[in-house]
């Protein structure tokens, strides 16, 4: 037997910058236009900020969790191809997490990868989805199960986009902010609680510091564990149950809202499994209530819900992996929880 080794120990530098500011994006967009970049733009962003895209031929995407699918991926790729893109093409994605996830996946796959630039326009995408290189679509009813790790060239965050978000979308994104605080930083959680009124009023100074904080936490986690073999799994706090809620509600419950409820239910599970104390459960409950998230969710179809847990990317043959918060500010991974055991706790 001959053994030929394909030695692929790589030294790749995928580093990139995240710029955070106010009122600088029009100029950046014009710069990419002048370089001949391609644009994928969320339809609401196009409607609200038409002047940014004057004279630019854009692919405009209507977003909904149901549109985060193969069909959209194919449409975007067809557009890229139609425009005669070559390997050196650049795709600028302007929108929330849905546009970013699908657009980034299209960029990762087209000609095995063209450059892409993330311009997140929702709170959720600014603090979470635009950073870290996870790109994906939903497939066969499961969340984000077809995708890639593909880092953007740069992330440009213009805080002014937040002014036009609906209250619901704003709160939806804020759930991921609370998530970082629960897992990593009790002081940050207290800061959020103390500044509740300003946060609700979208005070720009507070918001800038929040976005900056979340991006630096995420960048730090991704630097240590780009492919989610370890610490990055902690960012899934609330997401296993959250994905169950998203699937069971046929995406009627938005991602952030589902994650918020998921964080509470998972903390109760942690308590029942002996990983969290009562104090933590009540703190999670208090904070979620303070900002107006639902703690409870009525499961419509147990099979659909359980299937979503089992199909979760974090699940393995030996069971479900949960990212839990035993104590505020200290996340912990618990692996191999039998699906049956979880079902018994839930249903
Ligand atoms: N890749 C990751 O690491 C990661 C992390 C977290 C979440 N996600 C994914 O992100 C998705 C959710 O992202 P989202 O909440 O941004 O959803 P989204 O992209 O659907 O945006 C939410 C809504 O806001 C609108 N919108 C966007 N920008 C706006 C603006 N500036 N003003 C007014 N309206 C605006 C959109 O048109 C849409 O209706 C989920 O699919 C989730 O799975 C991915
Ligand atoms: Zn999330």
């Amino acid at each position: 037997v001959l053994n030929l080794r394909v030695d692929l120990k790589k030294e790749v530098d995928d580093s990139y910058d995240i710029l955070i500011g106010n009122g600088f994006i029009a100029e950046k967009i014009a710069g990419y236009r002048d370089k001949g970049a391609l644009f994928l733009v969320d339809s609401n962003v196009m409607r609200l900020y038409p002047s940014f895209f004057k004279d630019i031929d854009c692919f405009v995407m209507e977003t909904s969790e149901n549109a985060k699918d193969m069909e959209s991926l194919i449409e975007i790729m067809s557009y890229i191809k139609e425009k005669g893109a070559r390997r050196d093409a650049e795709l600028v994605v302007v929108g929330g997490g849905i546009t970013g996830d699908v657009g980034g996946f299209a960029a990762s796959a087209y000609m095995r990868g063209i450059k892409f630039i993330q311009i997140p326009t929702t709170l959720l995408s600014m603090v979470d989805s635009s950073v870290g290189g996870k790109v994906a679509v939903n497939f066969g009813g499961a969340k984000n199960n077809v995708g890639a790790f593909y880092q953007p060239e740069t992330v440009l965050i213009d805080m002014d986009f937040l002014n036009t978000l609906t209250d619901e979308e704003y709160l939806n994104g804020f759930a991921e902010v609370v998530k970082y605080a629960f897992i990593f930083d009790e002081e940050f959680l207290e800061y959020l609680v103390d500044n509740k009124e300003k946060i609700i009023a979208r005070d720009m100074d507070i918001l800038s510091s929040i976005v900056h904080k979340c991006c630096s936490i995420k960048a730090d986690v991704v630097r240590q564990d780009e492919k989610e073999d370890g610490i990055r799994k902690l960012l899934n706090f609330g997401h296993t149950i959250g994905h169950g809620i998203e699937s069971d509600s046929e995406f009627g419950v938005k991602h952030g809202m589902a994650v918020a409820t998921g964080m509470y239910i998972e903390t109760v599970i942690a308590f029942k499994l002996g990983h969290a104390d009562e104090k933590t459960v009540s703190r999670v409950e208090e904070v979620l209530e303070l900002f107006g998230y639902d703690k409870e969710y009525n499961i419509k179809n147990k099979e659909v819900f359980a299937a979503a847990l089992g199909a979760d990317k974090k699940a393995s043959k030996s069971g479900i992996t949960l990212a839990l918060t035993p104590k505020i500010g200290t996340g912990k991974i618990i692996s191999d929880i039998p699906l049956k055991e979880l079902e018994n706790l839930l249903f």
Side-chain angles (χ1 to χ4, degrees), residues 305-343:
F305 199 97
L309 302 182
D312 197 271
K313 296 176 300 303
K314 281 87 72 189
S316 69
K317 272 188 219 138
S318 41
I320 312 278
T321 297
L322 279 181
L324 301 173
T325 297
K327 204 170 137 322
I328 303 295
T330 54
K332 185 176 171 188
I333 303 293
I334 308 289
S335 301
D336 304 331
I337 306 169
L339 182 58
K340 262 267 140 296
E341 188 175 347
L342 209 52
E343 284 178 28

Side-chain angles (χ1 to χ4, degrees), residues 124 128 176 179 239 255 259:
L124 186 140
D128 195 351
E176 303 274 16
K179 177 192 77 177
H239 281 62
H255 180 75
V259 168

Side-chain angles (χ1 to χ4, degrees), residues 138-268:
N138 305 329
F139 181 65
K143 279 275 299 182
N144 300 336
N145 53 340
V146 176
F149 286 100
Y150 193 66
Q151 303 294 344
E153 286 300 297
T154 184
V155 183
L156 306 173
I157 302 179
D158 193 324
M159 303 289 299
D160 286 353
F161 279 119
L162 296 180
N163 291 321
T164 51
L165 279 187
T166 61
D167 288 342
E168 191 196 10
E169 288 302 346
Y170 182 69
L171 190 62
N172 185 53
F174 191 71
E176 303 274 16
V177 174
V178 177
K179 177 192 77 177
Y180 289 114
F182 279 152
I183 325 170
F184 294 114
D185 200 329
E186 186 167 20
E187 217 175 279
F188 182 41
L189 188 70
E190 297 317 318
Y191 172 84
L192 298 176
V193 169
D194 292 346
N195 286 288
K196 185 203 154 191
E197 298 308 326
K198 286 186 177 167
I199 290 168
I200 300 291
R202 304 190 199 183
D203 176 285
M204 268 304 157
D205 290 337
I206 295 275
L207 270 178
S208 297
S209 78
I210 288 175
V211 170
H212 189 274
K213 173 86 179 174
C214 294
C215 286
S216 60
I217 293 178
K218 182 139 187 196
D220 195 40
V221 169
V222 173
R223 177 166 51 236
Q224 295 175 57
D225 175 24
E226 186 186 351
K227 299 281 163 71
E228 199 171 309
D229 300 315
I231 184 178
R232 188 167 183 177
K233 287 190 183 146
L234 291 176
L235 296 178
N236 295 319
F237 178 44
H239 281 62
T240 303
I241 298 298
H243 286 170
I245 296 174
E246 286 186 88
S247 293
D248 183 56
S249 68
E250 291 169 40
F251 300 119
V253 180
K254 288 182 192 298
H255 180 75
M257 300 301 196
V259 168
T261 306
M263 290 193 286
Y264 177 69
I265 297 176
E266 288 182 11
T267 307
V268 172

Side-chain angles (χ1 to χ4, degrees), residues 9 51 93 115 126 145 169 248 283 300 302 346:
K9 235 188 248 156
S51 64
V93 183
K115 290 181 180 157
M126 290 179 186
N145 53 340
E169 288 302 346
D248 183 56
R283 188 62 182 144
K300 283 193 264 172
K302 288 179 187 172
L346 282 167

